[in-house]
Amino acid sequence: MIKKLAGCIREYKKASLLTPLFMVLEVTMEVIIPILMAKLIDMGIDQGDMGYIAKMGIILVVSCVMSLSFGALSGKFAAIASAGFAKNLRHDMYYNVQNFSFSNIDKFSSASIVTRLTTDVTNVQNSYQMIIRIAVRAPMILIFSLAMAFTISAKLAFIFLITIPILGSGLFFIIHKVYPIFEKIFRTYDKLNNVVQENLHGIRVVKSFVREDVEEKKFTDISNEIYSDFTRAEKTIAFNGPLMQFSIYLCMILISWFGARLIVGGELTTGELMSLITYAMQILMGLMMLSIVFVMIIISEASAKRIVEILDEQSDLTNGANPIKEIKDGSIKFEDVNFSYAKRKDKLCLSNVNIDIKSGETVGVIGGTGSSKSSFVQLIPRLYDVTEGKVTVGGVDVRNYDIESLRNEVAMVLQKNVLFSGTIKENLRWGNENATDEELIHVCKLAQAHDFVTTFPEGYDTHIEQGGTNVSGGQKQRLCIARALLKKPKILILDDSTSAVDTKTDALIRKAFAEEIPNTTKIIIAQRISSIEHADKIIVLDNGKIDAVGTHEELLKSNAIYQEVYTSQTKGGEDHE
Ligand SMILES: Nc1ncnc2c1ncn2[C@@H]1O[C@H](COP(=O)(O)OP(=O)(O)O)[C@@H](O)[C@H]1O
Ligand SMILES: [Mg+2]
């Protein structure tokens, strides 16, 4: 894990090394200063030697300035190193997420990916800064100060041997208590992000169903959970203060008590006593910092793990050796296909699917919600891989194609289609970057989008808001179809993509398809019989199985499900949409 993370330091290695270097210099100065103080007191003040006092005074000031500047430099490099490290982490994670397949994304959930990219990276950034600064500083101070204390007076230094274990075990106890709480907090953050993302994504639905209260309560509950966990953790951490105070005062009292005796006995000078007290403070502070670093590292360990999970995640859809780039035609064949989602391995989402579709055919797919229509078509452009059996396109197993080439030839308008913020033109060009304006207009005419686009004052340069909120559902669907057509695919899949389009326009789109792209295999998932009744063949899906395949007339005669859907839609005349 550490190796993986360290790989992201890259160009910030220099800053990462300079930080502890300046830290060492700063600590050295800090350790020297009490010695200088002791000398000043013993040789200068006690003897009343003004010249010596002045000389030592200047040296002291210079040492302090040096110590401060080293400290500042170390801080500056630490900031550069840790911020840079975080930047690289985010970059690498984001880069890898772009390669994720649908099932990779299913595994993490996008909310969790967001937490990992933000909160977790910030944690690791902070603890990295701590490690290169404090984790170097604290032990050094501890060791130096202890050594110095022992050289001044071995007799008094044993006091530390009493106080350090007291403080140390107290700190250990606190950490032990706090760690599980912090671990839990990060898991709760995931939940919080999930709720926020879901709510904001579906804010319109939330509002139209007047679910604000419920959503607000969900959010408040999780928010409160985090609050109470944090309070619980902070309460425990608050014991740090008194514990620290106690140890410091205990040290002072003991040192003064024994020190006074030693001074009276002539074994110790006042200056030495002063510097001992300073070292005592430094030692205890060092210990305290060490414990904070410890907590930070432990907290961020959970975050680091979550980051590495993203970095390590291999896209489970990869090109095989010598991937084929040429797709011969738009024929599709499913051979004994079984499929289940990684999350629900036990349940077969598609079972024993066999179907043969010729290039250029128009195929309708119908079935109730949850009958696996979307899952069925998603196997064709390899958004998911089959669990058993195989899917071939143009006579070749889809797994043997270069994924990019395959997806260029198999255009799919997803059920949950999205437009991105940008102009209509820019959105359409996702289908083909190099398309000319004429081509754009052509596909928009096919998808029956041209007419409404030209009614916008800015036409094809109209700006689409994020999530496509300023176009209607039916308009969005038509733009998405146009975008897919621009790829000039050999196979076009429409997953319920005309559900928000009126029947007349729907018919016009189908007519345009039949006339303008006769050689493209068209797979149309629809709820309305009218959308698919003219198809060459219609597949009736039921509960992950093919219930029947046939033309409209055949199915009307022989298939119960199809008959039922048909009657329900024709009762009382034509469908009423
Ligand atoms: N990403 C996914 N992970 C796990 N299960 C899923 C996923 N997508 C769909 N499912 C499940 O697979 C079944 C079929 O869903 P789907 O193919 O979307 O049906 P349809 O498009 O016919 O409504 C449903 O039971 C659904 O809950
Ligand atoms: Mg669906």
Side-chain angles (χ1 to χ4, degrees):
M1 182 166 93
I2 292 182
K3 210 168 132 199
K4 188 93 196 177
L5 291 177
C8 293
I9 300 175
R10 297 200 284 270
E11 68 266 39
Y12 299 99
K13 273 208 188 78
K14 199 179 111 202
S16 299
L17 289 176
L18 284 175
T19 311
L21 182 73
F22 281 111
M23 200 76 243
V24 170
L25 291 175
E26 188 196 357
V27 171
T28 317
M29 296 313 294
E30 274 177 22
V31 176
I32 293 174
I33 288 170
I35 305 179
L36 296 175
M37 278 296 287
K39 284 207 168 145
L40 182 87
I41 293 172
D42 291 342
M43 324 266 270
I45 298 177
D46 279 6
Q47 323 268 316
D49 182 343
M50 279 313 283
Y52 189 80
I53 293 178
K55 193 178 98 191
M56 284 310 279
I58 293 170
I59 295 179
L60 258 177
V61 170
V62 173
S63 312
C64 283
V65 171
M66 278 170 70
S67 164
L68 279 176
S69 351
F70 289 146
L73 278 171
S74 163
K76 184 185 137 194
F77 285 118
I80 295 176
S82 58
F85 177 47
K87 184 189 82 179
N88 287 347
L89 275 181
R90 273 195 210 102
H91 171 271
D92 286 13
M93 288 165 80
Y94 195 69
Y95 194 81
N96 204 28
V97 168
Q98 297 299 315
N99 288 330
F100 277 11
S101 70
F102 279 35
S103 63
N104 290 124
I105 294 172
D106 285 349
K107 184 169 149 192
F108 287 106
S109 90
S110 44
S112 168
I113 295 178
V114 172
T115 324
R116 287 165 204 244
L117 271 162
T118 51
T119 319
D120 286 329
V121 169
T122 311
N123 279 333
V124 169
Q125 172 180 352
N126 287 339
S127 85
Y128 183 63
Q129 184 164 3
M130 283 275 201
I131 291 170
I132 55 180
R133 288 189 71 196
I134 318 285
V136 172
R137 180 191 170 92
M140 269 191 71
I141 289 222
L142 265 179
I143 293 166
F144 276 174
S145 302
L146 261 179
M148 295 308 286
F150 269 96
T151 40
I152 294 175
S153 166
K155 273 188 190 161
L156 279 185
F158 84 93
I159 289 170
F160 298 123
L161 299 184
I162 302 174
T163 38
I164 291 178
I166 294 181
L167 181 60
S169 47
L171 291 174
F172 180 79
F173 180 73
I174 293 176
I175 292 172
H176 185 72
K177 275 271 201 232
V178 164
Y179 176 55
I181 307 181
F182 276 115
E183 247 202 335
K184 178 163 171 271
I185 289 176
F186 287 110
R187 262 178 282 126
T188 323
Y189 267 136
D190 258 5
K191 266 203 276 177
L192 186 74
N193 277 351
N194 226 329
V195 170
V196 171
Q197 214 189 26
E198 199 177 76
N199 177 290
L200 294 185
H201 205 96
I203 190 85
R204 282 153 219 280
V205 182
V206 172
K207 289 209 170 292
S208 60
F209 280 86
V210 203
R211 294 267 301 179
E212 290 102 321
D213 290 351
V214 185
E215 287 293 311
E216 214 171 289
K217 181 164 180 321
K218 255 204 286 188
F219 181 86
T220 319
D221 286 350
I222 299 180
S223 211
N224 279 340
E225 194 180 331
I226 294 184
Y227 164 77
S228 73
D229 282 343
F230 255 120
T231 332
R232 212 145 52 91
E234 297 294 342
K235 264 188 207 148
T236 319
I237 290 179
F239 279 111
N240 238 343
L243 180 69
M244 196 66 206
Q245 299 271 339
F246 173 75
S247 315
I248 289 178
Y249 287 124
L250 183 66
C251 247
M252 297 260 205
I253 292 169
L254 290 176
I255 291 177
S256 312
W257 174 263
F258 290 106
R261 293 174 168 211
L262 290 180
I263 292 178
V264 173
E267 284 179 64
L268 192 75
T269 65
T270 330
E272 282 170 340
L273 184 70
M274 286 291 292
S275 53
L276 262 182
I277 289 180
T278 315
Y279 285 131
M281 298 282 278
Q282 284 186 351
I283 289 171
L284 297 180
M285 290 300 279
L287 207 59
M288 168 98 169
M289 284 192 295
L290 209 58
S291 73
I292 295 176
V293 174
F294 204 63
V295 173
M296 279 295 298
I297 292 177
I298 290 177
I299 292 177
S300 63
E301 196 199 319
S303 291
K305 240 186 246 158
R306 291 155 49 88
I307 290 175
V308 171
E309 271 171 20
I310 298 265
L311 292 175
D312 276 347
E313 181 75 9
Q314 298 279 335
S315 175
D316 50 13
L317 295 179
T318 44
N319 283 336
N322 309 318
I324 303 169
K325 299 218 160 145
E326 201 61 43
I327 284 114
K328 205 170 87 243
D329 59 36
S331 60
I332 304 165
K333 200 166 174 187
F334 277 62
E335 292 175 36
D336 301 321
V337 168
N338 285 339
F339 171 71
S340 56
Y341 287 101
K343 268 193 185 157
R344 303 168 61 185
K345 280 202 167 61
D346 48 319
K347 182 179 169 273
L348 273 188
C349 180
L350 284 169
S351 55
N352 198 25
V353 173
N354 282 289
I355 186 86
D356 204 342
I357 297 169
K358 290 187 200 63
S359 189
E361 269 186 332
T362 300
V363 178
V365 181
I366 200 156
T369 36
S371 58
S372 301
K373 301 182 297 295
S374 299
S375 311
F376 167 65
V377 292
Q378 280 172 359
L379 299 177
I380 303 167
R382 230 189 139 197
L383 295 177
Y384 289 93
D385 266 343
V386 295
T387 313
E388 278 167 292
K390 70 174 177 181
V391 176
T392 63
V393 166
V396 176
D397 191 326
V398 286
R399 285 167 293 196
N400 296 338
Y401 282 117
D402 169 56
I403 293 180
E404 202 181 323
S405 315
L406 177 70
R407 295 206 181 141
N408 277 335
E409 295 293 358
V410 184
M412 176 144 170
V413 182
L414 292 174
Q415 190 167 20
K416 290 182 210 145
N417 47 29
V418 254
L419 294 173
F420 287 81
S421 47
T423 63
I424 290 183
K425 255 187 203 164
E426 283 163 5
N427 265 287
L428 291 173
R429 288 212 165 100
W430 276 60
N432 175 7
E433 283 169 46
N434 307 316
T436 61
D437 286 0
E438 287 70 42
E439 283 174 301
L440 293 186
I441 292 170
H442 177 66
V443 291
C444 280
K445 278 185 177 157
L446 286 184
Q448 309 301 315
H450 180 71
D451 288 347
F452 77 79
V453 171
T454 44
T455 62
F456 294 149
E458 286 169 273
Y460 282 88
D461 289 315
T462 303
H463 199 83
I464 303 272
E465 304 288 327
Q466 192 188 4
T469 46
N470 57 338
V471 284
S472 78
Q475 292 173 337
K476 193 156 111 183
Q477 286 186 333
R478 279 177 271 173
L479 288 174
C480 288
I481 294 174
R483 177 171 70 183
L485 284 174
L486 208 52
K487 283 186 170 180
K488 298 205 182 99
K490 291 204 167 75
I491 298 172
L492 175 69
I493 301 171
L494 304 184
D495 187 351
D496 214 0
S497 313
T498 53
S499 57
V501 176
D502 59 276
T503 26
K504 194 175 134 234
T505 313
D506 190 15
L508 286 174
I509 295 175
R510 269 179 285 121
K511 184 160 165 275
F513 281 180
E515 285 165 6
E516 303 279 340
I517 47 167
N519 297 326
T520 301
T521 311
K522 293 161 283 273
I523 300 188
I524 300 169
I525 297 181
Q527 301 291 339
R528 286 192 293 237
I529 298 269
S530 64
S531 302
I532 54 166
E533 62 184 328
H534 304 291
D536 298 312
K537 56 169 80 115
I538 298 166
I539 301 173
V540 181
L541 272 180
D542 182 39
N543 206 5
K545 292 193 180 68
I546 293 187
D547 193 63
V549 183
T551 60
H552 176 68
E553 285 73 26
E554 286 165 6
L555 291 173
L556 260 190
K557 275 195 209 110
S558 61
N559 187 262
I561 298 179
Y562 195 80
Q563 286 162 353
E564 195 186 313
V565 179
Y566 183 76
T567 1
S568 75
Q569 289 186 3
T570 45
K571 221 182 321 176
E574 277 300 301
D575 60 276
H576 343 253
E577 281 175 78

